[in-house]
Amino acid sequence: MLISSLELENFKVFHGPNRISIGQGPGNVVVVQGDNGRGKSTIMEAVFWCLYGKEKRHDRLVPTQYPSIVNNTARKEGHNFARVRVAFEHDGRRVEVERSVRARPHMPNPTRKSDFDEELHFRVDGRDLGADNSLLYEMFPEDVASFFFFDGETISRYAEAQERNRETVEKAVGLPYLRQAREDIEKVRKDFEKDLRDVQSSPETEKTESDLKELRGKAVELVTRLNEQESALEGLNTDIRQHQRNLEEFDDLRGIQQRIQELEDFSRELDREELSMQSSEEVFRSELPWLVLGKFVRGAVETVGKVKEQAVQERIEQGRLLDQIEFMKDLKGSGTCICGTSMDADGMARIDEALVKLESALGTIQVIETDRYSWTQSDLTTAMGKARSVEEEARGVHGLEAKRRYLDDNRFRAERALERENESLRAHSAQNLREKEVFDRLTQLTKEKAVVQSKLEEVRDALNVTRRQVAELERQLEISFSKKSSASRAILESISRANRALKAFDEIVDRSAEQKRAEIEVRSSKIYTSITNKPKEFIGLSIDPQSFEVKVRAEGGDLVESRKLSDGERHVMALSFLGGLKDATHEGTLIMDSPFGRLDQTHKTRLIEKIPDLAQNVVLLVTDEDLRPDDWKSLAGVQRRFMLDHDQHQKFSRIQEVN
Amino acid sequence: MPQKLVDPAILAEVSRKHKVSEEMLFKMVTAEKAIPVRTQRLKEFKRLLGGED
């Protein structure tokens, strides 16, 4: 904050408009000089009141007291109005803060705060932000202002260990900016964590999961029902198959019964055949004598046949014998052997002998022939015819016998088959159920099966529908999970990045604080060593990293307790600390009210010499006693000089620039 | 307030140590000045930490 002008109108001791201008060089020191009670400290109060709406009393900022803020003379003149305006530059911005109070209309003697209207105008680069001076607090917090607009009477307090000091110093070096950024990162990280929770538990997904759970439950229920129906169907199928088998057994029974019937019909047919057979046998028995006769006839015929055949053979033999006899006779008559030689007696004898034998044989044959041919040919023919008739009868007998065998055989087989069929019938009698009952039951079972199948199909359809729905929901969930997973990964990465940034900021804050502390320590020490009258004994200042307590560092490095220092030494120490702090912040206006109060002349002189270096601009509020003629010689860089003129009669002051 | 809030050397070293983009850290460090409105600043932080930059 580099103050360029300060205007006070009717503010406390100051009557009418008053102005302190702080221009650009040459010199950077503005001296406002006035005796005690003329308004030096009021100038400091005016700055605090204008900027923060508070008054500074004994190093503390307290709420403004009304109506004492309005100059008494002005009030008496009827001007119940006070105004302070501070113009400054900050980070390249032109800022004006103007605060005023005015008694409300028809309030001739205002005594309470409520009798006044307070008005604030905060202008940045010509833009009036009205009463919104939040930016001011970011630019120049009131705690920091206390360090740069200070009262020399209480300056020693700034070197004491106070938590407020640390906080204020941190503000002065800008650490709250970093802390604010850290807080913002923390906030963003929490937002990310909330986003993550939202992503992981989105209402749509929860509803899908709920629906899916419900559908899965329904599917399980349907599967149970399906199993029940399938089990019922299986039971019905078993019953139906059993009843169908029963019906098939009825078919078997009917077959057996039919076959039995056929066999019984066949038996009756055999019986009829039997009767026919018996009739035929009766006829046969009546013809039996003929049949017996026939046997003899047949024997006779055979004999006749054999005889006839034998006779033929014998005729042939007879012929041969006759031929031989004729030959022999011819041979005997010729007397010549067949070899052409004359036959002797012996030969002749032999021929005779042969002739005897041949004629004997021929005689035998002729006898036999005579016997055999005692029957006549007609007898033979008749016998043969009768024999043939008997043969035919015999063949009828054979037919009867064959038929008898056929009958006997079939009757046997029919009886055996009937026995088998009856046996089967008896075997089936164990399941001899009434067919109608079985059929009715089968019909009922078939109907029940149809019902169960219908239910089964119904349940199966419902199950298929449910399974499709489950699949669809699972697909949706999979997509959702995929999206969630992707989103979660991205958010987790952001959280991780935020965590790393937080750690980085923590380290930045710590290291920056330490760096600033060290810098302030170095700059304060430099100022201190240039002011102290014991530069060899005290080699600098030490600022505690934790408490920010300022101590003097003695030669050898030992730290000197503040209570062991004189008031003046403590004063120099505090001034050096504030100067170092200001120096470390590189810019701004330093307003010092009575900074020499506790200093001996040596310290005072050195401080006066150092004043231009303490800040970019320095406003020095001093009494005539504070700056004696010799002191003015030591004070370099005076840009402007103002005097506080005081009207003893009217009891008000005015600020007059001294050329 | 100081013009140079954080020493660039600290920024670079911390950035490497914590594996955070130096550019992102710089933007965050200077965000208070660059983006005075907090809601906008948070939006920018979310964008930066979300890896959009």
Side-chain angles (χ1 to χ4, degrees), chain A residues 430-442:
Chain A
Q431 301 170 20
N432 190 14
L433 301 173
R434 283 169 295 180
E435 187 176 6
K436 187 172 185 311
E437 285 181 5
V438 173
F439 185 78
D440 289 347
R441 178 64 183 148
L442 185 60

Side-chain angles (χ1 to χ4, degrees), chain A residues 4-69:
Chain A
S4 57
S5 70
L6 176 63
E7 292 177 14
L8 303 87
E9 186 174 0
N10 300 336
F11 184 82
K12 293 198 170 183
V13 74
F14 293 101
H15 177 253
N18 295 272
R19 178 185 176 88
I20 297 174
S21 296
I22 308 171
Q24 299 296 318
N28 65 338
V29 179
V30 172
V31 179
V32 180
Q33 197 170 356
D35 291 337
N36 290 333
R38 299 285 176 88
K40 295 191 302 299
S41 297
T42 304
I43 292 174
M44 188 83 85
E45 288 173 17
V47 172
F48 278 103
W49 180 73
C50 178
L51 295 178
Y52 309 111
K54 294 178 181 176
E55 292 182 58
K56 190 175 185 189
R57 289 187 183 176
H58 307 295
D59 194 36
R60 293 171 65 87
L61 291 172
V62 297
T64 307
Q65 295 295 310
Y66 290 87
S68 62
I69 207 163

Side-chain angles (χ1 to χ4, degrees), chain A residues 280-317:
Chain A
S280 297
E281 281 179 341
E282 284 295 324
V283 173
F284 175 74
R285 273 192 293 272
S286 66
E287 292 180 352
L288 191 57
W290 279 105
L291 289 176
V292 175
L293 181 61
K295 282 187 178 179
F296 289 109
V297 169
R298 194 163 52 247
V301 167
E302 287 175 357
T303 302
V304 169
K306 284 178 184 176
V307 169
K308 199 175 180 179
E309 187 179 347
Q310 193 174 0
V312 170
Q313 289 296 327
E314 284 174 351
R315 283 281 182 90
I316 293 168
E317 184 64 22

Side-chain angles (χ1 to χ4, degrees), chain B:
Chain B
M1 291 301 102
Q3 294 282 349
K4 192 174 66 180
L5 203 57
V6 175
D7 185 347
I10 292 177
L11 205 63
E13 194 178 331
V14 168
S15 162
R16 281 195 300 275
K17 182 178 174 184
H18 294 284
K19 296 175 182 171
V20 184
S21 156
E22 186 177 345
E23 187 183 352
M24 184 181 81
L25 275 184
F26 178 77
K27 284 181 179 177
M28 287 176 163
V29 164
T30 56
E32 183 82 14
K33 286 184 179 180
I35 311 169
V37 182
R38 192 182 183 212
T39 51
Q40 291 178 358
R41 202 163 59 235
L42 288 173
K43 200 172 175 181
E44 173 67 6
F45 275 27
K46 195 162 189 173
R47 192 183 69 79
L48 290 171
L49 293 170
E52 291 180 31
D53 200 28

Side-chain angles (χ1 to χ4, degrees), chain A residues 102-139:
Chain A
R102 189 183 296 273
R104 292 184 171 176
H106 315 297
M107 196 69 67
N109 188 25
T111 56
R112 297 169 301 177
K113 184 178 180 180
S114 58
D115 296 338
F116 290 88
D117 285 328
E118 186 174 312
E119 197 169 335
L120 174 67
H121 289 279
F122 184 69
R123 301 184 187 92
V124 179
D125 292 330
R127 186 177 167 213
D128 193 343
L129 302 177
D132 180 11
N133 65 341
S134 55
L135 187 59
L136 172 68
Y137 284 85
E138 292 177 14
M139 291 174 170

